[in-house]
Amino acid sequence: MMRPGLTELINHLQALGSTIVVYTHSENKWASKVCSAMERLIGRPFIRRLFSRMDCRDGHPEFGARKSVQYIVDVMRREEGLTWATVEKSIMFDDDGEAVAQSEQSRLVKVTSYDYWEPVQWDEVVNHEVLRRNPKELADLVLRSVVEWGIAPPSVLKVHRTAEDAKRDQAWQVNLDKRHQILLSYNKVAKLDKVLFGLLDAFNGPLATAADLEALPQRARVILGNPNLSAGSRRQPK
């Protein structure tokens, strides 16, 4: 499930003519799939460029922190033709308040991470037919992994199950069902998340001058951090 308010925020940013990039510490192959899924749900492309793990300090040990706004600006100017781009005209949202160096902290808005959970239906994709098409070592690695992660029964690696195996699998299933119920209950809270609506409020403020744009991160921080603003009541239908 996408974070509530993402569609509204993307629509507003595109109406303003904003250039949107994704900057993540995830591996590129994984991140590109997530970005493609988001664009399908939004209904159109909106990500100008994806920056992933090797665009972080992993690939650039000279960075002063995990990520660099200046690096993004330089790439966008050089490879995307955005000659107007500067650090001062950029705003970055991240759940890591230390993601960038101190010199770029003014452009960073820390947002709380969004946790929405759904059961992993791994066996609908990684079934026995799929495993048979792969080397035994790889198949065994996958099965060992899902057991270690707790999303597959303990006896999944065994060809012949004993009565004791069945008892262990039953106990595993009971515990798994309990965990699932707890995690699913958290989704009720996640659906009430209003962080992106708060950011939308920030972008609805004045943006007519360069000074307004430079002040935008602080305006967003104030809105997100004001305990007197009830996120639940601010977005009531008019």
Side-chain angles (χ1 to χ4, degrees), residues 19-38:
T19 298
I20 301 172
V21 303
V22 171
Y23 194 6
T24 176
H25 191 242
S26 298
E27 294 284 356
N28 185 269
K29 287 184 178 180
W30 165 254
S32 62
K33 292 182 182 297
V34 173
C35 289
S36 295
M38 286 195 299

Side-chain angles (χ1 to χ4, degrees), residues 1-52:
M1 178 183 177
M2 292 195 302
R3 193 169 198 155
L6 179 62
T7 299
E8 292 86 346
L9 181 60
I10 295 301
N11 289 342
H12 187 69
L13 291 177
Q14 288 196 307
L16 292 174
S18 305
T19 298
I20 301 172
V21 303
V22 171
Y23 194 6
T24 176
H25 191 242
S26 298
E27 294 284 356
N28 185 269
K29 287 184 178 180
W30 165 254
S32 62
K33 292 182 182 297
V34 173
C35 289
S36 295
M38 286 195 299
E39 291 186 326
R40 284 197 301 272
L41 289 171
I42 293 292
R44 64 184 181 279
F46 65 88
I47 300 168
R48 177 71 173 262
R49 184 157 177 156
L50 167 63
F51 295 87
S52 55

Side-chain angles (χ1 to χ4, degrees), residues 64-217:
R66 177 178 289 182
K67 299 176 181 178
S68 168
V69 179
Q70 184 65 63
Y71 169 79
I72 300 300
V73 167
D74 291 344
V75 171
M76 296 303 288
R77 288 174 62 92
R78 182 177 64 250
E79 299 182 14
E80 299 288 340
L82 302 186
T83 56
W84 52 265
T86 65
V87 171
E88 292 73 27
K89 293 178 181 176
S90 306
I91 181 169
M92 178 177 176
F93 306 108
D94 202 297
D95 62 1
D96 178 5
E98 304 297 325
V100 297
Q102 187 61 40
S103 61
E104 297 178 347
Q105 281 285 315
S106 64
R107 311 315 300 166
L108 174 66
V109 177
K110 184 179 184 299
V111 296
T112 56
S113 59
Y114 180 63
D115 296 315
Y116 185 89
W117 182 85
E118 290 185 3
V120 178
Q121 304 297 337
W122 69 272
D123 52 346
E124 294 181 4
V125 178
V126 186
N127 52 40
H128 288 293
E129 181 181 348
V130 171
L131 293 174
R132 281 197 298 270
R133 294 202 301 264
N134 287 274
K136 185 178 185 304
E137 295 80 6
L138 179 58
D140 288 347
L141 174 62
V142 171
L143 292 176
R144 285 198 305 272
S145 297
V146 292
V147 170
E148 290 173 5
W149 297 336
I151 60 176
S155 67
V156 72
L157 281 166
K158 295 189 176 182
V159 177
H160 304 291
R161 289 199 316 163
T162 65
E164 190 61 32
D165 290 331
K167 287 176 61 176
R168 280 197 294 266
D169 286 353
Q170 185 177 20
W172 166 85
Q173 187 65 56
V174 170
N175 289 329
L176 182 69
D177 290 342
K178 288 180 180 178
R179 290 202 307 272
H180 282 189
Q181 288 303 312
I182 293 172
L183 292 168
L184 285 170
S185 70
Y186 293 155
N187 290 351
K188 297 177 182 178
V189 177
K191 289 179 180 179
L192 301 176
D193 184 281
K194 299 295 181 182
V195 167
L196 297 187
F197 288 115
L199 295 180
L200 183 59
D201 286 346
F203 279 98
N204 274 324
L207 288 173
T209 68
D212 292 335
L213 188 57
E214 290 181 15
L216 180 57

